[in-house]
Amino acid sequence: MESRQPAQGEHRQPSSAEPATSARAHRPSMMDVARLAGVSHQTVSRVLNDHPNVRQSTRSRVLWSMRELGYRPNSAARTLVTGHSRTIGVIGLDSTLYGPAATMHGVDDAARRADYRVNTVGLASIDRISVLEAVERLATAGVEGVVVIAPLSSASEALADLPTDIPTVVVNAHPESDIASVTVDQAHGAQRATEHLLSAGRSTVWHVAGPANWSESRGRIEGWTRALDAARVDVPPPLTGDWSARSGYEAGRVLARLPEVTAVFAGNDHMALGLLRALHEFGRAVPDEVAVVGFDDIPEAAYFTPPLSTVRQDFSEVGRRCVRLLIGQIETPGEAAECSVVTPELVVRRSSTPSKVPQVGRGSGRE
Amino acid sequence: MESRQPAQGEHRQPSSAEPATSARAHRPSMMDVARLAGVSHQTVSRVLNDHPNVRQSTRSRVLWSMRELGYRPNSAARTLVTGHSRTIGVIGLDSTLYGPAATMHGVDDAARRADYRVNTVGLASIDRISVLEAVERLATAGVEGVVVIAPLSSASEALADLPTDIPTVVVNAHPESDIASVTVDQAHGAQRATEHLLSAGRSTVWHVAGPANWSESRGRIEGWTRALDAARVDVPPPLTGDWSARSGYEAGRVLARLPEVTAVFAGNDHMALGLLRALHEFGRAVPDEVAVVGFDDIPEAAYFTPPLSTVRQDFSEVGRRCVRLLIGQIETPGEAAECSVVTPELVVRRSSTPSKVPQVGRGSGRE
DNA sequence: CCAGACAGTGTGAGCGTTAACAATGACGTA
DNA sequence: TACGTCATTGTTAACGCTCACACTGTCTGG
């Protein structure tokens, strides 16, 4: 309501109704609003916090004064007196991996909806010292809870001996830890992917794993092994990458030379991309000669050459659940640490289905 | 220093030196530290802020008390009294595009180094109302400045009539606006890319542009046009995508059918990926028949099929400069709005260089 | 031997807000 | 008429910190 043209150009300060008190350079406070509206500051506070028992006429007078002065509540003062900052911290790995970024967005969005602010700290490295530092930073900043989006294989213990009284939710924490967490059932996804590769009659499935200190990697290795065991086929030694296309490419250069390799389950889509590249260079046809499945379902996966079969994780959902759990902990402390599990889903595309008609974009379910 | 085992399990509260005052459930305040150290709260404050004129012995006694009590300064109180929150806000587009995410990390990192906190707000959509809302949110949260990482073609005007007194830096703002900004010289990069494609003797270069409301798109179109004009060749009508691989694929399906298309400059690497896919499906060989160059140099670009020539932007640098400019504005207000320009760099790979030996990974300069 | 400088420390006020309680007035009921 | 009740408003005291200042003492130089 109230459409005022910005005709005044430079000045949008009070400019009127200023009874020549003093040269206030400060931002208007509750007091200023109260004075202009002819009420006490407490009444202004009541209007601000939607208390009942404020007469309608008073309320609108106060609201008018607020707009007139361009009043904005001072969150520091509010935080100080209430003891609540309505801010959550997010610790993310400072990389540009798709998963963490997408999760981050889910967190951000959910927090906004719940009227919480988000304070981010990127992690330079993943050792426990960095994690502790990051938590300390956030604690000092006054956050009421922390979401950790980082591989915490080695670092989840760091959280254990944290001198921390603040609620924490960890993404893909190790199952054994007793921290609240939201986890994607990596093993399940990996098992489905592996079964899918086996079902086409391949003798066994090789694996390019993620870094050993990521719990995601471990879960995927577990599911892959489980599927191979169930099918009573050999478990080849997994190669290890670092999630990058580059590392996938290097693993691919090794695998491409081995004629017995006919199916590869890559730890994520980026490594799968590198893998495809290497196989292509060595003249190993995908999917006819070698079938490939990735993990994540990044938006580009459907446009790889060939389009990549993969396991889709709903990262936004993960982020949303983190916030839900965290706010639960914040608002009802002492509750037991919950764990929420998200189930990923196999998406089949060309890289694992030999000899069919082109079908790019099919099965992505995103458009 | 001081390695104390967490042997006490649950309690890491004061636990000692508490002269039976009262059952304090609160976090320790400066007063508590002062009492324990036998000094005034002001001395504690001085220690905290590294004031000179505190005797060494006193200082260490205070520091000891802080550790003993697990004291953490209350940033809300500090902000309230100093008027400085040491927090900057970041408005990002809520997508998972590589560029914005990478820039975000640069900002985060630089802010941390400068001892500023970072408050993020993701944008659901890019209309001016969303932007205004986001700024309002951040202002209420008490940030001292804002970095806007979002396409502000339509929204940069939104910032213009903002009732905002807080410093702002916009990434890739339109040159004509008078807001402080850090921009990548899109036109320069695009021109280099186009010239490179022309130098191989292609008759002209087609372009798959990004969304019209992104200033990045406009800059790239401009550079592309400029290069074609300089070479006195026809300027084909640009196709428009939305940065996604999918949209690049669709544009590719159109271009692949036109036999006169022998060189394409894609607005970003993701669209280039879709484009490669489409060309491949239509049997148009890259680079021999059609040469392709992208923009961004995402980490995966070197592993496309074929490896993608592209224009590298240093997103981290952009983020860092944003913070530098912003903090400059914050700490010395009234300064003129600076604009910083980052020059991108052409990275040549196989997709634009016909008939050479395989050279994946070469020219990426990142390992 | 005392003024002045200065290192080191304490005291009081106030930042902008909310919570607790007190005060006012209008209304109905006994 | 008097009294409790309720809606509406004001008053005061925190919250934890920094700033400006006042206060000690110790040392220097005249």
Side-chain angles (χ1 to χ4, degrees):
Chain A
M1 25 231 121
E2 199 220 5
S3 67
R4 192 156 33 100
Q5 295 301 331
Q8 319 208 28
E10 286 297 350
H11 299 287
R12 59 265 162 282
Q13 289 299 9
S15 80
S16 72
E18 180 83 21
T21 19
S22 59
R24 287 203 141 285
H26 284 23
R27 272 178 36 183
S29 78
M30 206 164 242
M31 270 306 208
D32 301 311
V33 175
R35 202 151 31 227
L36 180 57
V39 296
S40 76
H41 66 114
Q42 176 60 350
T43 298
V44 176
S45 168
R46 274 191 270 257
V47 169
L48 211 57
N49 296 287
D50 277 327
H51 275 246
N53 296 1
V54 177
R55 196 185 300 150
Q56 196 44 246
S57 62
T58 310
R59 182 185 302 277
S60 46
R61 196 148 31 93
V62 169
L63 288 173
W64 174 84
S65 314
M66 286 181 176
R67 263 197 303 270
E68 185 69 11
L69 296 178
Y71 169 74
R72 265 199 289 262
N74 180 320
S75 76
R78 192 193 289 235
T79 297
L80 180 58
V81 69
T82 61
H84 293 292
S85 62
R86 292 199 80 78
T87 300
I88 65 176
V90 179
I91 298 179
L93 180 63
D94 201 358
S95 84
T96 322
L97 295 172
Y98 175 74
T103 307
M104 172 75 207
H105 286 135
V107 168
D108 190 289
D109 186 57
R112 176 170 48 256
R113 277 181 223 282
D115 197 27
Y116 271 74
R117 273 156 238 137
V118 175
N119 226 199
T120 47
V121 178
L123 232 46
S125 60
I126 329 176
D127 51 78
R128 73 165 52 192
I129 292 179
S130 296
V131 177
L132 287 172
E133 262 177 22
V135 172
E136 194 56 38
R137 272 187 70 77
L138 290 173
T140 305
V143 302
E144 299 195 61
V146 175
V147 175
V148 182
I149 309 176
L152 287 186
S153 196
S154 57
S156 67
E157 313 104 58
L159 289 184
D161 52 58
L162 258 186
T164 281
D165 27 8
I166 63 179
T168 305
V169 174
V170 178
V171 174
N172 286 327
H174 279 298
E176 57 264 30
S177 71
D178 56 350
I179 308 175
S181 64
V182 177
T183 43
V184 174
D185 191 342
Q186 315 286 348
H188 176 264
Q191 190 171 357
R192 294 293 321 279
T194 310
E195 287 166 358
H196 166 67
L197 286 166
L198 287 172
S199 73
R202 318 272 176 176
S203 59
T204 189
V205 177
W206 292 66
H207 182 43
V208 181
N213 61 336
W214 286 61
S215 57
E216 284 85 339
S217 309
R218 292 207 216 163
R220 291 170 201 175
I221 290 176
E222 188 196 318
W224 164 68
T225 314
R226 201 193 290 158
L228 294 183
D229 284 346
R232 306 197 178 285
V233 302
D234 278 351
V235 179
L239 311 198
T240 300
D242 63 2
W243 299 133
S244 72
R246 177 189 176 73
S247 68
Y249 175 75
E250 257 135 40
R253 288 174 63 91
V254 173
L255 294 175
R257 271 184 273 243
L258 303 174
E260 71 268 33
V261 173
T262 57
V264 185
F265 166 48
N268 75 344
D269 291 351
H270 293 276
M271 294 198 298
L273 176 64
L275 184 66
L276 291 177
R277 173 93 214 113
L279 292 170
H280 176 80
E281 282 180 12
F282 280 79
R284 306 288 305 268
V286 178
D288 290 322
E289 201 174 337
V290 183
V292 175
V293 173
F295 210 109
D296 281 355
D297 195 25
I298 63 175
E300 291 72 50
Y303 299 91
F304 286 0
T305 306
L308 184 68
S309 296
T310 187
V311 179
R312 178 186 305 159
Q313 313 190 55
D314 189 342
F315 292 108
S316 306
E317 174 63 16
V318 170
R320 260 176 271 133
R321 291 204 198 179
C322 283
V323 173
R324 180 144 30 98
L325 253 57
L326 191 61
I327 291 181
Q329 277 190 68
I330 290 169
E331 293 178 355
T332 52
E335 207 106 306
E338 260 182 278
C339 286
S340 184
V341 177
V342 176
T343 305
E345 169 197 0
L346 181 67
V347 177
V348 177
R349 298 201 184 91
R350 275 255 297 292
S351 69
S352 63
T353 53
S355 313
K356 294 209 177 165
V357 285
Q359 45 172 253
V360 160
R362 264 256 344 253
S364 110
R366 190 169 264 144
E367 33 277 329
Chain B
M1 15 241 130
E2 198 219 8
S3 67
R4 192 156 32 99
Q5 296 299 329
Q8 317 206 31
E10 288 297 351
H11 300 286
R12 42 340 4 17
Q13 288 299 10
S15 82
S16 71
E18 181 81 21
T21 17
S22 60
R24 285 201 142 290
H26 284 22
R27 272 179 37 182
S29 78
M30 204 164 242
M31 269 305 207
D32 301 312
V33 175
R35 201 148 35 223
L36 180 58
V39 296
S40 77
H41 64 115
Q42 175 60 357
T43 299
V44 177
S45 168
R46 276 191 270 256
V47 170
L48 210 57
N49 296 289
D50 278 326
H51 276 247
N53 296 3
V54 177
R55 196 184 301 152
Q56 196 44 246
S57 64
T58 310
R59 181 185 302 277
S60 47
R61 198 148 30 92
V62 168
L63 288 173
W64 174 84
S65 313
M66 286 180 176
R67 263 198 303 272
E68 186 69 10
L69 297 178
Y71 170 74
R72 264 198 290 260
N74 181 321
S75 75
R78 192 193 292 236
T79 297
L80 180 58
V81 67
T82 60
H84 293 292
S85 62
R86 293 201 77 80
T87 300
I88 65 177
V90 180
I91 298 180
L93 181 63
D94 201 357
S95 85
T96 322
L97 295 172
Y98 175 74
T103 307
M104 172 75 207
H105 287 134
V107 169
D108 189 289
D109 187 55
R112 175 167 53 254
R113 277 182 223 283
D115 196 27
Y116 271 74
R117 274 157 237 134
V118 175
N119 225 201
T120 47
V121 178
L123 232 45
S125 60
I126 329 175
D127 50 79
R128 75 163 50 187
I129 292 179
S130 295
V131 177
L132 287 173
E133 263 177 22
V135 173
E136 194 56 37
R137 274 186 69 78
L138 290 173
T140 306
V143 302
E144 300 194 59
V146 176
V147 175
V148 181
I149 309 175
L152 286 186
S153 194
S154 57
S156 67
E157 314 105 59
L159 289 183
D161 51 58
L162 259 187
T164 282
D165 26 7
I166 64 178
T168 304
V169 174
V170 178
V171 175
N172 286 327
H174 279 299
E176 58 264 31
S177 71
D178 57 351
I179 308 176
S181 64
V182 177
T183 45
V184 174
D185 190 343
Q186 313 288 346
H188 176 264
Q191 188 170 358
R192 293 295 319 281
T194 309
E195 286 165 359
H196 166 66
L197 286 167
L198 287 172
S199 73
R202 317 272 176 176
S203 61
T204 190
V205 178
W206 292 65
H207 181 42
V208 181
N213 60 337
W214 286 61
S215 56
E216 285 87 339
S217 310
R218 292 207 217 163
R220 291 171 202 174
I221 289 175
E222 188 195 319
W224 164 70
T225 313
R226 201 193 291 159
L228 294 184
D229 284 347
R232 309 198 177 282
V233 302
D234 277 352
V235 179
L239 310 197
T240 300
D242 62 3
W243 301 132
S244 74
R246 175 189 178 74
S247 68
Y249 174 75
E250 258 136 38
R253 287 174 65 91
V254 173
L255 295 174
R257 269 186 275 244
L258 304 174
E260 71 269 30
V261 173
T262 58
V264 184
F265 166 48
N268 75 342
D269 291 351
H270 293 276
M271 293 198 299
L273 176 64
L275 183 66
L276 291 177
R277 173 90 217 116
L279 292 170
H280 177 81
E281 282 180 12
F282 280 79
R284 307 286 305 267
V286 177
D288 290 321
E289 200 174 338
V290 182
V292 174
V293 173
F295 210 108
D296 280 355
D297 195 26
I298 63 174
E300 290 72 52
Y303 299 92
F304 287 179
T305 306
L308 185 69
S309 296
T310 186
V311 179
R312 180 184 306 158
Q313 312 190 54
D314 190 342
F315 292 108
S316 306
E317 175 63 17
V318 171
R320 260 175 271 132
R321 291 204 197 178
C322 283
V323 172
R324 179 145 30 97
L325 253 57
L326 191 61
I327 291 180
Q329 277 190 66
I330 291 170
E331 294 178 355
T332 50
E335 206 107 306
E338 262 182 277
C339 285
S340 183
V341 177
V342 177
T343 305
E345 168 197 0
L346 180 67
V347 177
V348 176
R349 298 203 184 91
R350 273 257 296 294
S351 68
S352 62
T353 52
S355 312
K356 293 210 176 164
V357 284
Q359 47 174 240
V360 160
R362 265 260 341 260
S364 111
R366 190 170 266 145
E367 32 278 330

